[in-house]
Amino acid sequence: MTRISDTFARLKDQGQAGFVAYVMAGDPDADTTLEMMHGLAEAGADVIELGAPFTDPMADGPPIQRAALRALKSGMTLKGVLGLVARFRETNADTPVVIMGYANPFHAMGWEAFVDAAAKAGADGVICVDLPPEEDAGLREPMERAGLSLIRLATPTTDDGRLPEVVRNTSGFVYYVSTTGVTGAAAGETAVVGAAVDRVREASGLPVAVGFGVKTQERAREIGRVADAVVVGSAIVDELAQQGVAAALELASGLAKAAHDAR
Amino acid sequence: MTAPNAFSKYPDAKGLFGEYGGRYVAETLMPNILALEAAYEAYKADPAFVKDFDDFSRDFVGRPSPLYFAERLTEAFGGADIWFKRDELNHTGAHKINNCLGQVLLARLMGKTRIIAETGAGQHGVATATVAARFGIPCEVFMGATDVERQKPNVFRMKLLGAKVHAVTSGRGTLKDAMNEALRDWVTNPDDTFYVIGTVAGPHPYPAMVRDFQSVIGREARAQMLDRIGRLPDAAVACIGGGSNAMGLFHPFLEDESVRLIGVEAAGKGVDTPDHAASLNGGRPGILHGNRTYLLQDEDGQILEGHSISAGLDYPGIGPEHAFLHDVGRAEYRHATDAEALEMFQLCSSLEGIIPALEPAHALARVRDLATELGKGKTILMNMCGRGDKDVFSVASALGVEL
């Protein structure tokens, strides 16, 4: 068992949808991110997605783009991201941490070296946005050996022909992108999302977390009725940038409750 | 003559040129990329498609472009004979339109109703808008806000041609950010939209497809050289940003091993300074914009901005096939500085009556050395890939002339 599968097993026992919260490492600085990670865990986040900043985040909308630039400006590096995971683990042994980023910084460190360092730091999984199954062997194989989950993205454009390939060799959970578009875009129709979640769950045998476009408690509740977990990123990142840590955590707490109480 | 090689067989089925290329895109785009590949494979040998491409190349673009003996530059450099492939005489003034024509024809056959493109200096944007206008397909061009400011005449041209120009403010507002934004648009509109990438980069099948459309340059030039001098040139030279004009020139010569292939990157203020755009000479392999290739990047894998006086060359990556040809040694990659390009810009204008774009002016700087290196009796073919009208303002400003 891993922290991720334990978490989803617990949620299933409790009949709850989970809450996955995203925070960009180093936005606006490392200490704030650490405070956010602990705060998010306390606010009810079941999984923390820790963004690794990249200069060219091609699948992200303006909120995450800006967060990445702020993080890079503060001097955040991939080593720094892993350092944050290690610091978080000093006092939190339970909340899964998934590193979300783009291929080039991982590739620059070296796939194996990155996986070793991520495992050592106490990370549980990796989402690499621009590494489709066709290209991910270099990262996937060391991750399998290290017992880390490579979490893949499934999207509305992933048809039945392609879905088995997308969910093959994946573990932990599947991240379903509820809409074609970048992060922070408008959300898809709940019924459509629900059908897609069922399809992805059946194909993968894994829990399905749904993200892209979830900003409000109402929306988190709707998605929580059909998905195994609700992912919120841009809304938290924007709130942190505009109103600070306390406000962002308050927002996260409300979203966590909405997801947990959805059913 | 040496034995034929197999360099022209790439990419493989996974879109790889050796260890470069591939399909590094978000899952949302994968089905699109695969559909594009299937469509391109189906149509590229289709006689009706080939005929359309050839007919419009002739009547709309103005192909074949002439092959020209640059007599006075040959004399001035005092070595090998210098010939220009005159792709600057194409409609819209550069080689870019060859590729736009091919991709827009393909978009039409695929039933796509909206064209998007990225552009740096605006040449690819203008060429795309031109072809889109001809076929009545709505066109939107993403251009970095910094470039929109620097290249106002091209912005106006695109608007005249009916295109909508988006000023991209994300990142630093340059070419790579425009490409990011075009990819974001495509992720958002995967069904109706065709993304016309302007160079031999991006996810498979773009590097191969753009090369194939641009290979008209090398095919014509090869036949023209045989016709004019009865043999192949000793070297073929082209400038490289992303590398589309160079790949188009090189590809038909890949198996002619007697022909040295030389790409010239933009060294900006020098490859030993931070201000250059020489991905092969000053970068290392990484992953960006859908492919694995040489990139300008820092130790952490963050992408660096390229710098060149030529906005058409300041891209932090290079087409994956060039990365491959570099590693296997089939092509050589040199570089030229801003200052050298400026010098050649003026020299070519005054000696040949051809105002070159700043991009091929870089190539000309290395043609000068090569002319001496090879010596008299040898032949150099250079692709004059664009004309310099677009550059007169920036050159004047660099020379301290007020217009």
Side-chain angles (χ1 to χ4, degrees), chain A residues 37-196:
Chain A
M37 291 171 77
H38 285 302
L40 287 168
E42 271 168 43
D46 299 291
V47 176
I48 292 172
E49 277 182 13
L50 185 60
F54 182 48
T55 39
D56 294 77
M58 286 156 292
D60 282 299
I64 307 279
Q65 290 171 32
R66 288 192 294 260
L69 290 181
R70 288 192 297 266
L72 291 170
K73 204 172 165 197
S74 81
M76 185 50 63
T77 61
L78 184 53
K79 276 189 186 138
V81 174
L82 298 170
L84 273 170
V85 178
R87 285 171 71 193
F88 178 71
R89 281 281 169 258
E90 287 170 6
T91 52
N92 182 320
D94 304 319
T95 309
V97 176
V98 173
I99 295 167
M100 183 165 183
Y102 289 81
N104 201 50
F106 304 155
H107 178 271
M109 184 178 278
W111 301 125
E112 303 239 359
F114 164 61
V115 171
D116 285 351
K120 205 170 285 174
D124 301 280
V126 175
I127 301 174
C128 186
V129 178
D130 53 348
L131 209 57
E134 285 83 349
E135 306 288 358
D136 72 8
L139 178 62
R140 191 185 71 235
E141 287 161 9
M143 285 188 67
E144 281 169 356
R145 287 196 294 275
L148 299 186
S149 299
L150 178 62
I151 292 146
R152 293 235 185 87
L153 301 165
T155 73
T157 57
T158 311
D159 60 20
D160 285 336
R162 186 165 166 74
L163 188 55
E165 171 70 12
V166 169
V167 298
R168 202 160 55 92
N169 298 322
T170 190
S171 61
F173 61 93
V174 179
Y175 187 148
Y176 181 71
V177 174
S178 65
T179 173
T180 58
V182 293
T183 51
E189 293 277 337
T190 308
V192 178
V193 172

Side-chain angles (χ1 to χ4, degrees), chain B residues 147-201:
Chain B
D147 290 331
V148 167
E149 199 47 45
R150 286 193 296 206
Q151 308 285 342
K152 284 179 184 157
N154 273 341
V155 173
F156 184 62
R157 277 186 193 102
M158 286 186 267
K159 288 180 179 166
L160 277 176
L161 292 160
K164 186 172 174 190
V165 179
H166 298 276
V168 175
T169 53
S170 62
R172 289 198 209 158
T174 59
L175 175 58
K176 79 176 174 69
D177 304 301
M179 197 155 177
N180 290 333
E181 209 56 36
L183 284 164
R184 288 180 189 120
D185 181 286
W186 205 24
V187 168
T188 310
N189 304 289
D191 294 330
D192 64 346
T193 297
F194 191 104
Y195 178 17
V196 178
I197 292 184
T199 191
V200 287

Side-chain angles (χ1 to χ4, degrees), chain B residues 64 67 116 153 313-315 348 358:
Chain B
L67 180 73
I116 59 170
L313 301 180
D314 68 356
Y315 178 66
C348 185
L358 278 168

Side-chain angles (χ1 to χ4, degrees), chain B residues 68-84 86 344 346-354 364 367-368 371 376 380 384:
Chain B
Y68 166 77
F69 177 49
E71 191 178 353
R72 298 192 66 211
L73 275 171
T74 299
E75 202 176 298
F77 293 164
D81 288 346
I82 297 157
W83 294 73
F84 289 159
R86 306 263 333 250
M344 291 300 122
Q346 298 169 82
L347 188 70
C348 185
S349 300
S350 62
L351 283 187
E352 292 293 346
I354 295 171
L364 195 54
V367 165
R368 175 172 57 182
K376 285 194 195 297
I380 299 170
M384 182 58 74

Side-chain angles (χ1 to χ4, degrees), chain B residues 218-229:
Chain B
R219 278 198 309 275
E220 284 177 8
R222 192 177 183 284
Q224 287 167 323
M225 291 263 39
L226 288 173
D227 183 47
R228 295 287 288 280
I229 66 169

